[in-house]
Amino acid sequence: MKITIFGAGGNVGKCAVNEALSRGHNVTAVFRDISRSGELNEAVNIVQGDASNIDDVVRISAGQDLVISATRPPQGSEYKLLDVCEALLNGLEKTGVKLLLVGGAASLILPNTNGRLVIDDSELVPPAWRDIAEACLAQFKFCEENSVVNWTYVSPPALIMSGERTGKFRLGADELVVDDNGQSKITFEDFAVALIDEAEQENHIGKRFTVAY
Ligand SMILES: NC(=O)c1ccc[n+]([C@@H]2O[C@H](COP(=O)([O-])OP(=O)(O)OC[C@H]3O[C@@H](n4cnc5c(N)ncnc54)[C@H](OP(=O)(O)O)[C@@H]3O)[C@@H](O)[C@H]2O)c1
């Protein structure tokens, strides 16, 4: 598959590039500043672009099979997450390319709470994270309202950190996936496995899924 990845220099994006490449996909890694692309396998196509710029989205996605977006705005500019979501959806409406959007856990339902959301749990979302959580909630609603683009929204678990690639995890739909100790977590490496599995299998078109151990 021809896969374009926005946010390719980030924690999630880097692992997605490596996972897609290891499975033989043709990978295009997008950076706002290509001088910050670092050491990348020579098979990766490196392209300059901004996911919040609709013209860039159209130009870079044309002819691709899938766009993965894993961008994160800097603290204090959380609203930019919505600019990116809007440009991606509007741009991909024009090129007809599928979108796999890495979002947030905020909109997931807490298990055994009669529908309480993660965003309303102050232990999982302390005040300092409230703005990004609200932006993620709006981002998810934005996707839900779009019936033109073939989008899939992926909610990470509460915690995502560097570690091993085990290939073993569980998928969920709208509820936070927690382990026997009540923890909701995964490594960036395994999260990337779930992303590229979805890229290949297309099990959640027009839907959200989540993944955790
Ligand atoms: N529990 C949770 O809900 C949870 C946990 C972790 C991550 N996440 C989500 O996962 C996503 C990725 O997280 P991460 O840890 O990989 O983030 P990260 O390491 O901060 O990387 C984000 C990347 O996005 C790029 N970027 C930002 N705005 C962009 C734009 N307009 N166009 C193109 N690239 C842009 C940045 O590039 P520059 O170098 O150009 O700034 C950076 O490389 C985020 O959406 C985050 O909210 C959710």
Side-chain angles (χ1 to χ4, degrees):
M1 290 175 73
K2 286 189 252 174
I3 303 177
T4 284
I5 302 178
F6 283 94
N11 296 307
V12 170
K14 261 188 229 165
C15 287
V17 167
N18 290 338
E19 183 67 28
L21 209 59
S22 75
R23 300 197 203 180
H25 296 295
N26 179 317
V27 180
T28 296
V30 187
F31 297 87
R32 286 191 289 190
D33 177 355
I34 51 175
S35 72
R36 300 226 303 260
S37 61
E39 298 262 314
L40 275 176
N41 186 301
E42 60 184 23
V44 178
N45 312 304
I46 299 172
V47 171
Q48 192 280 331
D50 187 324
S52 63
N53 180 317
I54 184 170
D55 294 334
D56 284 1
V57 173
V58 170
R59 170 177 57 88
I60 295 167
S61 67
Q64 297 289 297
D65 297 309
L66 175 72
V67 164
I68 296 178
S69 181
T71 69
R72 181 203 289 267
Q75 212 171 358
S77 304
E78 285 79 2
Y79 64 91
K80 288 188 177 167
L81 204 64
L82 294 179
D83 296 343
V84 166
C85 189
E86 190 171 6
L88 286 168
L89 289 168
N90 290 341
L92 298 180
E93 277 188 14
K94 292 182 191 293
T95 57
V97 176
K98 288 188 288 272
L99 173 65
L100 187 44
L101 183 62
V102 177
S107 55
L108 290 168
I109 296 166
L110 290 159
N112 309 315
T113 60
N114 283 328
R116 201 164 145 243
L117 299 183
V118 167
I119 191 171
D120 295 320
D121 183 315
S122 59
E123 277 186 25
L124 292 176
V125 181
W129 295 0
R130 184 84 196 175
D131 286 351
I132 189 70
E134 278 177 1
C136 286
L137 206 59
Q139 176 198 44
F140 178 50
K141 287 186 181 150
F142 216 75
C143 286
E144 281 192 310
E145 282 162 12
N146 186 298
S147 56
V148 180
V149 175
N150 283 328
W151 56 265
T152 297
Y153 186 96
V154 193
S155 285
L159 186 62
I160 175 164
M161 66 277 172
S162 293
E164 274 182 62
R165 179 195 187 284
T166 69
K168 291 185 196 142
F169 43 75
R170 291 173 297 146
L171 299 187
D174 292 320
E175 190 171 284
L176 189 75
V177 174
V178 294
D179 64 19
D180 292 344
N181 301 318
Q183 293 209 307
S184 168
K185 61 184 180 186
I186 199 166
T187 62
F188 291 114
E189 290 78 358
D190 275 334
F191 188 71
V193 176
L195 279 181
I196 306 305
D197 283 352
E198 175 63 27
E200 294 173 347
Q201 297 165 17
E202 300 184 357
N203 288 324
H204 301 90
I205 299 285
K207 290 185 195 154
R208 174 255 295 281
F209 75 95
T210 185
V211 51
Y213 296 129

